[in-house]
Amino acid sequence: MRRTLLLLFLFSGFSGLAQDTAIYKGMTINLDEVVINAKRIGFDVNGFIKRVEDDTTFYRAFKNLRIVGFTGDNDIRITDRAGGKTIASLKSRTRQVMTGNCRKMDVLEEKTTGDFYTRKGDYNYYTAELYANLFFTKGTVCNEESGEARGSLARHKSQLKQLIFNPGKPITGVPVVGSKVAVFDPNLMRYYDFSITAANFAGAECYVFSAVMRKNLGAMDRAEIVYDELITYFNKETMEIVGRRYSLSYKTLIFDFNVKMNVQMTKMGDLLLPALITYNGTWNVPFKKRETAVFTARFSDFSR
């Protein structure tokens, strides 16, 4: 009798453990209690992960900044490596104005410190130049069409967009690390712990998909990946991304970087748009001095 009870206990324990995980393309995903209960009443775990893998709403949200008017509050600080001392900075408020298929940007106010600009008025720092290419409009831009990026900055801007818009996907044209960002690649899955949980984010009930680097990876395994964590919040009702948090780092004898980013989304009618972006990172790349920067971008007052 005791043996039977012990077997029943063990069986029920293993059964409960089995319910706490799901398998997708060889990936083991841990589920919290809320997701387990949702699964029992019809939540499709595999379908959700497939949606995460193929999602384009994040990319579309940033493209939507090209078709709306908005106010931008920009705070960029170049710091020493420890992040305690500001070397140069820019704080500004801008307004993008749409006229038909054309957009232009007015600088409503601006304050700089240090050598943020060169004497010729160019950006003195690579991070600032990339930020400007992503979120500022120079002159009037009409009938934008995507095309092949030309020039070093254009290519780097395109690659940065891929990191922002499609984190977790391979990036073409980037030596060494281009393939190491693909967290869904079967060869890289084993370096991560995956989970689906439930949480509140910015007032929305969300399903949260997390890919977090496994603890205690050896040096050789750590050299195979770039993302330390990639966490995405999906609105339970619409399945649109409402937020994303990610950090990535890599180090070689030639270059190294360590970057953390957070993105929060908002809605204007049926358009999904970025509302807040924070960045904290350091880069050391060939032919440029090390650069450590912190920035916050806030977008509001959207109009069409």
Side-chain angles (χ1 to χ4, degrees), residues 153-169:
L153 180 63
R155 286 195 302 273
H156 291 160
K157 182 179 75 170
S158 176
Q159 291 156 0
L160 178 61
K161 283 182 178 180
Q162 289 184 62
L163 277 177
I164 295 175
F165 298 147
N166 280 318
K169 302 291 180 65

Side-chain angles (χ1 to χ4, degrees), residues 58-59 62 126-135 149 152-174 181 227 244 246 248 257 259-261 263 277-279 281 283 291 295:
F58 201 63
Y59 171 73
F62 278 85
Y126 188 61
T127 305
E129 191 170 3
L130 286 171
Y131 183 101
N133 273 271
L134 285 168
F135 303 120
S152 175
L153 180 63
R155 286 195 302 273
H156 291 160
K157 182 179 75 170
S158 176
Q159 291 156 0
L160 178 61
K161 283 182 178 180
Q162 289 184 62
L163 277 177
I164 295 175
F165 298 147
N166 280 318
K169 302 291 180 65
I171 302 176
T172 58
V174 180
V181 298
Y227 280 99
R244 179 167 269 162
Y246 42 112
L248 53 157
F257 57 84
V259 170
K260 294 178 174 62
M261 292 189 70
V263 182
I277 303 168
T278 64
Y279 167 99
W283 292 84
E291 193 167 296
F295 73 66

Side-chain angles (χ1 to χ4, degrees), residues 3 31 54 98 104 108 130 139 170 186 202 205 211 230 262 274 292:
R3 185 178 180 181
L31 311 176
D54 296 340
M98 300 297 301
K104 68 181 184 69
L108 306 179
L130 286 171
E205 290 296 322
L230 175 58
N262 293 277
T292 302

